[in-house]
Amino acid sequence: MKCDMCGSPGKLYKAVIEDAQLAVCHECSKFGKVTGVVEQIPDKTIQKDAKREPESEVMDIIIDGYAEKIRKKRESLGLKQEEFAKKINEKESLVQKIESGNFEPSIALAKKIGRFLKIRLVEDYKESHEKQTKTKTNSFTIGDLIKIGKK
Ligand SMILES: [Zn+2]
């Protein structure tokens, strides 16, 4: 839109100049009585989608204390390491390592063991991270601070 009087582009004002209602620029509006502002028609540019949520990366991790969990559950089922290893098609030595905490099973293996023992050995990182933060805040006492300080 351009000024009705001088033709310059820019912000326009509604002004009554010599009894005529005009849309004029700031300079020209001085010649008459400004009655308002001419609303600019916004460009119809394509509105970008509102903030796209980044796809939350959920990473599978093996839970803490998996070794003990596996061992206890296996024992409760009355299975020897050897028998248990056979059931899940793995080597006895591998089961030994896992149960002693010397070997962290792969996610796939942990899931297989979990399915067999009906226990949960894998959880997504996000969830575990939140849990850990909470536990830390709750369990960290002044007593802990003193212990650390005395070391
Ligand atoms: Zn003008």
Side-chain angles (χ1 to χ4, degrees):
M1 297 229 305
K2 287 171 182 173
C3 169
D4 287 339
M5 285 179 76
C6 70
S8 78
K11 192 172 174 67
L12 298 179
Y13 296 86
K14 284 178 196 163
V16 178
I17 299 165
E18 289 166 14
D19 291 331
Q21 174 81 258
L22 300 170
V24 296
C25 70
H26 183 68
E27 286 302 308
C28 300
S29 71
K30 286 173 186 167
F31 297 110
K33 193 182 176 228
V34 175
T35 58
V37 176
V38 177
E39 294 295 328
Q40 303 276 348
I41 299 158
D43 285 351
K44 279 190 180 174
T45 46
I46 300 159
Q47 293 266 331
K48 277 186 184 173
D49 287 347
K51 271 185 195 174
R52 267 195 196 178
E53 287 284 318
E55 275 179 47
S56 55
E57 262 181 61
V58 179
M59 215 168 73
D60 284 338
I61 58 158
I62 312 288
I63 59 156
D64 285 339
Y66 65 90
E68 214 187 326
K69 245 189 164 178
I70 294 169
R71 186 180 54 79
K72 278 188 179 168
K73 184 69 186 181
R74 176 183 57 75
E75 284 173 351
S76 80
L77 292 171
L79 288 169
K80 287 175 183 168
Q81 282 186 336
E82 190 193 346
E83 291 164 333
F84 172 55
K86 270 184 193 166
K87 297 261 188 197
I88 59 166
N89 268 323
E90 298 292 343
K91 283 178 187 166
E92 188 189 343
S93 59
L94 184 72
V95 172
Q96 272 169 8
K97 274 192 226 166
I98 293 171
E99 287 191 2
S100 60
N102 290 329
F103 178 78
E104 192 178 290
S106 67
I107 299 293
L109 180 56
K111 280 182 176 170
K112 186 165 82 170
I113 294 171
R115 264 202 305 275
F116 180 77
L117 294 176
K118 296 191 174 62
I119 53 174
R120 197 160 170 245
L121 297 171
V122 179
E123 63 187 359
D124 62 69
Y125 176 73
K126 224 174 143 189
E127 186 185 334
S128 133
H129 187 71
E130 277 166 10
K131 267 187 203 159
Q132 276 175 8
T133 320
K134 268 185 195 167
T135 352
K136 261 184 192 168
T137 346
N138 292 340
S139 64
F140 203 75
T141 61
I142 291 163
D144 292 328
L145 277 172
I146 294 163
K147 270 180 222 161
I148 293 161
K150 277 182 179 172
K151 267 182 191 173

